[in-house]
Amino acid sequence: MTEENKLENIIPESAPAEVTAESNTAPETADTEATVESQTAPVTADVQPTVGVPEAEETGATEGTGEKPATEEKKKPKKKKKPAKKVIEIEGLGVRFNMAEQKVDSLKEYFIRLVHRNLKYKEFWALKDVTFSIRKGDRVGILGLNGAGKSTLLKVIAGVLKATEGTVTVKESVVPLLELGAGFDKDYTGAENIYLYGSMLGYKRDFIREKFDEIVKFSELGDFINVPVKNYSSGMRARLGFSIATIVDPQILILDEVLSVGDAKFKKKSANKLKKMMKSGVTVLLVSHQSDQVRSICNKAIILEHGRLIASGKAEEICDQYEEMINKDKQN
Amino acid sequence: MPNAIRNFSKFRYLLYELIKKDIKLKYRSSVLGVLWTLLEPLLTMIVLTVVFSGLLGKGDDNFPVYILCGRLLYSFFSAGTKTALKSIRKNSSTIKKVYVPKYMYPLASTLSSYIIFLISLIVLVGVALYEQVKITGAIFGAIFPLIMIFFLTLGVGLILAVLDVFFRDLEYLWTVILMLIMYTCAIFYKVESLKSVTNEWIFKINPLYSLIVNFRNSIFGRPLDMYHFWYALGFSAAVMLFGCVLFFKKQDRFILYI
C-alpha cells in the first residue's frame, strides 16, 4: 500500500474519492453504487459471485450493462495508484447448518430413528452466496440484525468454521477478538493463562515471556495475576484477554462487539490501543448493530440480511442505508 | 502435507502448554502433588498383592512385579482413552472461538497421560530392585510395548473423541468396555492358571493383553512372544490409521455439535 493511500484510508471523510466500493446485486443500491464505482478505486466488494474474480479491474469485466462506461474511468487511475493488496477474498461463500428438528445425541435414539427413517434435518443456510474482498488497511463494518450471519461470517474468516461451499482466502495472520478470554482455563492463574492463551493464538513462548510484563501492566491486574481466573470478575477476564490478544500487531483484527470491555477507564485505554493499531495499517473487521460505531471506525461497510450480502460500499452510505432499513422495519 | 507440518510447528507451544496444564492441574490441590503418580500404583499393588497373592504358584514370576506390569500399562490405557474421549467436548468453548488444530486436544491429553505413566514406571524399577528380580538384556525389548501402547491409546482416543462429539452415551459405554478390557488383561492372574478357560480367544484378541505379555517377558528376562508382538503392532497401527482418518474427516463438523 502506498503512503498516501494509507493516510486517506485513515481519514476517509477528507478523501471521499479514495473510498472504493462496488456492489451489483441489490437493486436498491444500484444508484449509489454506480457513483462510488466510478472512482479511482480498486474493487473492494463484488456482490455477485460471477464478478468477484480478483482481476476484475484489469479486465474491466464489471457485470451489468449500464456500467460499461465506468470501466474506462477505472482503468486510468489504476495506472497512477496501485491498489492495496487483497488480504481477504471470499467467493460464493455458503454455510449450511443441519438443524435437527429434535436433537439426537444418544445412540439409542439415533438407532431408533435410523430404523424408523426418522432422521429429519431442516437445512438452514446461515450464509449464502456471499462474495466480497477486503484490501489491506480497510476497516470494514459488518452490519446486520440478529441472526443475519455476522458472527458466522467472522468465524469462517477466523478459521473456526468451515465453509459448506465457496472459497475463503485469508492471506495474513488473523487475531480474533471474538469473545475475550474464551481460551482461558478457569483453574489456571492469570499468569499461567497468559502462556496458554498466547500459545493458542500461535505466539511463541519466548515472545510471550518477553511481553509478559507488558501484558500484565496493560491489563491492570496487579497482584491478581496470580489468582485463578475463576475468581476474576468478567471485566478482569476481558481485560486480560484483550491485553494478550493485542500484544502483537496483528495484520487482521476481528472485533465482535468487544469495544465495551471493562470500565470506562479501560474502555478508553483499549479504544486508544485499537486506534494506534489502525494507524499502523491493520485491516479491521468490526461487527456491530450500531451504525454510529461503524461510522466512527470504519471506512467501508457491508450489510447482511438473512445470510445474504445485500449491500456493500462506503461506510457512510451503507450506514445510511442500514438506518433506513431499520426505520422501515419499525414502521411495519 | 507440508502445510500440516507448518501448522503443527506453529502450534507446538500450544501442545506443550496443554500438556503442562493437564499435569499441573491434576495435582494442584493435593498435598503430595505429583508424588501420587508413584504412590497410587504402589498402593494398588499392595492391595492386589494382599488379596490375590495366592493366585500365582511357587515357580511363577514375582507377584508384586507381575501385578505392577499389568496394572501400569492398563491404567495408562484407561486414563489416556478416558481423557481423550472428553477432550473435544471439554474444550468446546475454545474450539468455537479460536482456531487451533483440533487434534491438539486429544493428542495433548494422551501425551500428558503418557508422561505420567512414564514417571510411574519408577515404581516398577523400585519394586523390581526391592524384590530382586533379575534384570537381563531382554529389558530392552520393553521399548516395543511402551511405544506401541502410546499409539494404541492415541488411536483409540481419537476415535472415541470423534464419536463422543456425536453421541454423549459413549462416556458411560466406554467405562463398561474398559472393565471388559481390564479383566481380559490378566493383571493379577495367569491365563494358563484359570481352571477352565472357555473363552481363551477373548484374551487373544485383546491387544492390550498382548502388550502386557511382552512387557512382562522383557522385565522377567524372557524373549518377546512373536504372536503377541505382531498382533499388537498390527492392531495399534490399524487403530491409529483409522483414528486419524476418522478424526480428519469429521473434525469440521464438531463445531455444529459441541
Side-chain angles (χ1 to χ4, degrees):
Chain A
M1 164 188 277
T2 61
E3 201 52 44
E4 309 123 87
N5 209 340
K6 206 197 253 174
L7 272 173
E8 278 151 357
N9 266 338
I10 292 157
I11 326 154
E13 301 85 355
S14 66
E18 276 308 304
V19 179
T20 62
E22 162 183 313
S23 162
N24 298 326
T25 29
E28 68 269 30
T29 57
D31 289 0
T32 48
E33 295 311 321
T35 51
V36 182
E37 205 237 340
S38 63
Q39 289 150 7
T40 44
V43 185
T44 11
D46 297 324
V47 179
Q48 287 188 355
T50 41
V51 201
V53 272
E55 265 63 59
E57 315 99 285
E58 244 151 52
T59 54
T62 340
E63 209 192 59
T65 41
E67 294 179 4
K68 281 262 160 69
T71 52
E72 283 285 333
E73 282 179 44
K74 253 171 63 189
K75 268 185 180 172
K76 275 184 226 157
K78 207 191 145 238
K79 276 169 198 161
K80 276 189 257 161
K81 208 168 277 176
K82 224 177 134 199
K85 195 172 77 176
K86 278 179 182 168
V87 285
I88 299 176
E89 283 179 54
I90 294 173
E91 268 188 71
L93 169 67
V95 176
R96 187 187 62 210
F97 293 117
N98 284 334
M99 290 197 305
E101 283 170 11
Q102 281 151 312
K103 207 166 184 200
V104 184
D105 57 7
S106 86
L107 262 178
K108 185 182 133 202
E109 214 176 314
Y110 182 82
F111 282 120
I112 290 171
R113 280 166 187 276
L114 196 68
V115 170
H116 291 146
R117 304 189 179 278
N118 205 6
L119 277 170
K120 274 189 206 133
Y121 293 109
K122 210 155 105 197
E123 278 190 6
F124 169 72
W125 288 90
L127 287 174
K128 185 84 178 139
D129 292 332
V130 175
T131 298
F132 68 100
S133 58
I134 294 173
R135 287 176 187 279
K136 199 171 164 58
D138 276 348
R139 301 179 305 282
V140 181
I142 301 172
L143 289 159
L145 303 170
N146 278 333
K150 302 183 300 274
S151 295
T152 308
L153 179 62
L154 289 194
K155 278 183 184 168
V156 173
I157 294 173
V160 175
L161 201 63
K162 273 265 159 58
T164 315
E165 56 175 41
T167 56
V168 176
T169 325
V170 179
K171 287 184 184 142
E172 290 184 328
S173 70
V174 177
V175 167
L177 300 185
L178 291 180
E179 193 175 294
L180 291 169
F184 287 167
D185 190 292
K186 62 178 175 27
D187 292 321
Y188 242 24
T189 68
E192 289 165 321
N193 266 310
I194 290 179
Y195 284 97
L196 181 66
Y197 191 50
S199 62
M200 249 171 222
L201 296 175
Y203 304 165
K204 300 230 178 325
R205 268 180 67 73
D206 296 338
F207 176 79
I208 303 170
R209 197 174 296 143
E210 205 176 284
K211 298 278 185 177
F212 186 84
D213 292 334
E214 203 182 311
I215 294 171
V216 176
K217 204 175 146 224
F218 193 86
S219 67
E220 299 174 1
L221 283 169
D223 291 339
F224 282 105
I225 203 71
N226 291 318
V227 169
V229 164
K230 64 182 169 196
N231 299 333
Y232 280 21
S233 70
S234 56
M236 286 159 87
R237 204 173 307 173
R239 256 151 54 193
L240 185 61
F242 183 88
S243 310
I244 301 169
T246 55
I247 202 69
V248 281
D249 290 329
Q251 284 143 326
I252 301 170
L253 194 61
I254 297 183
L255 303 170
D256 189 356
E257 306 183 44
V258 288
L259 293 174
S260 46
V261 164
D263 53 18
K265 202 175 129 221
F266 193 81
K267 224 182 269 180
K268 208 171 155 196
K269 200 169 157 186
S270 57
N272 279 341
K273 174 115 187 181
L274 287 178
K275 248 178 227 157
K276 223 174 90 193
M277 286 176 142
M278 285 174 201
K279 271 192 190 132
S280 67
V282 67
T283 310
V284 178
L285 278 158
L286 169 79
V287 159
S288 189
H289 299 292
Q290 298 153 295
S291 50
D292 43 328
Q293 202 174 43
V294 173
R295 270 181 218 270
S296 70
I297 292 176
C298 305
N299 61 341
K300 284 172 200 151
I302 60 173
I303 303 180
L304 289 175
E305 194 181 53
H306 302 304
R308 284 168 195 273
L309 185 69
I310 58 166
S312 67
K314 200 177 146 193
E316 290 287 312
E317 285 158 19
I318 296 296
C319 284
D320 290 342
Q321 193 190 332
Y322 180 67
E323 276 156 21
E324 224 170 83
M325 227 172 84
I326 291 175
N327 290 335
K328 217 189 286 168
D329 272 8
K330 265 184 199 156
Q331 279 160 20
N332 289 345
Chain B
M1 207 53 188
N3 242 340
I5 293 166
R6 208 175 319 129
N7 214 10
F8 178 79
S9 91
K10 185 182 170 196
F11 283 101
R12 65 184 191 276
Y13 301 97
L14 175 67
L15 186 64
Y16 171 81
E17 284 295 331
L18 286 174
I19 295 170
K20 201 169 88 178
K21 186 188 88 175
D22 277 353
I23 296 175
K24 253 180 157 177
L25 288 181
K26 188 168 182 193
Y27 298 109
R28 168 149 292 177
S29 49
S30 64
V31 182
L32 294 175
V34 85
L35 267 183
W36 276 113
T37 345
L38 306 177
L39 270 178
E40 203 251 321
L42 193 66
L43 294 176
T44 350
M45 180 205 78
I46 292 171
V47 171
L48 289 174
T49 311
V50 169
V51 179
F52 294 112
S53 59
L55 286 181
L56 251 61
K58 266 269 179 245
D60 283 329
D61 298 332
N62 178 284
F63 194 64
V65 177
Y66 185 87
I67 289 179
L68 213 47
C69 289
R71 222 212 83 93
L72 285 173
L73 262 63
Y74 168 76
S75 63
F76 161 62
F77 180 77
S78 146
T81 50
K82 269 188 191 163
T83 49
L85 181 142
K86 289 183 200 151
S87 61
I88 295 294
R89 268 204 297 130
K90 214 178 103 199
N91 292 295
S92 59
S93 64
T94 317
I95 290 173
K96 282 186 209 165
K97 297 283 150 43
V98 190
Y99 170 76
V100 160
K102 292 179 193 65
Y103 63 83
M104 283 289 173
Y105 297 111
L107 180 62
S109 63
T110 310
L111 272 171
S112 57
S113 304
Y114 194 61
I115 289 167
I116 290 174
F117 162 66
L118 290 182
I119 296 172
S120 67
L121 286 179
I122 296 171
V123 177
L124 182 67
V125 175
V127 173
L129 290 178
Y130 178 79
E131 296 284 335
Q132 291 167 344
V133 173
K134 243 176 89 195
I135 306 291
T136 65
I139 190 85
F140 292 107
I143 288 170
F144 297 111
L146 286 183
I147 293 173
M148 281 186 237
I149 198 172
F150 173 74
F151 287 105
L152 177 70
T153 309
L154 181 60
V156 173
L158 285 172
I159 296 170
L160 292 173
V162 173
L163 295 179
D164 188 54
V165 171
F166 302 105
F167 302 109
R168 305 284 149 88
D169 307 38
L170 198 67
E171 203 179 304
Y172 309 102
L173 195 61
W174 185 242
T175 29
V176 179
I177 297 173
L178 270 180
M179 197 168 73
L180 176 71
I181 294 174
M182 183 186 86
Y183 284 116
T184 53
C185 276
I187 291 172
F188 47 81
Y189 55 86
K190 284 187 126 177
V191 178
E192 301 81 49
S193 70
L194 288 180
K195 279 272 153 53
S196 54
V197 190
T198 41
N199 293 325
E200 207 193 335
W201 57 271
I202 213 164
F203 290 92
K204 286 210 156 165
I205 62 161
N206 181 356
L208 200 57
Y209 175 67
S210 295
L211 289 170
I212 290 173
V213 166
N214 272 333
F215 188 65
R216 278 179 186 147
N217 282 343
S218 321
I219 299 291
F220 290 110
R222 292 187 293 260
L224 296 174
D225 178 310
M226 276 305 141
Y227 163 77
H228 287 304
F229 177 84
W230 288 112
Y231 180 67
L233 182 68
F235 199 96
S236 308
V239 159
M240 186 65 204
L241 189 72
F242 180 69
C244 286
V245 171
L246 185 73
F247 194 88
F248 287 99
K249 276 223 156 125
K250 294 284 179 193
Q251 63 174 352
D252 292 337
R253 295 182 59 210
F254 288 175
I255 193 167
L256 307 176
Y257 290 85
I258 51 178

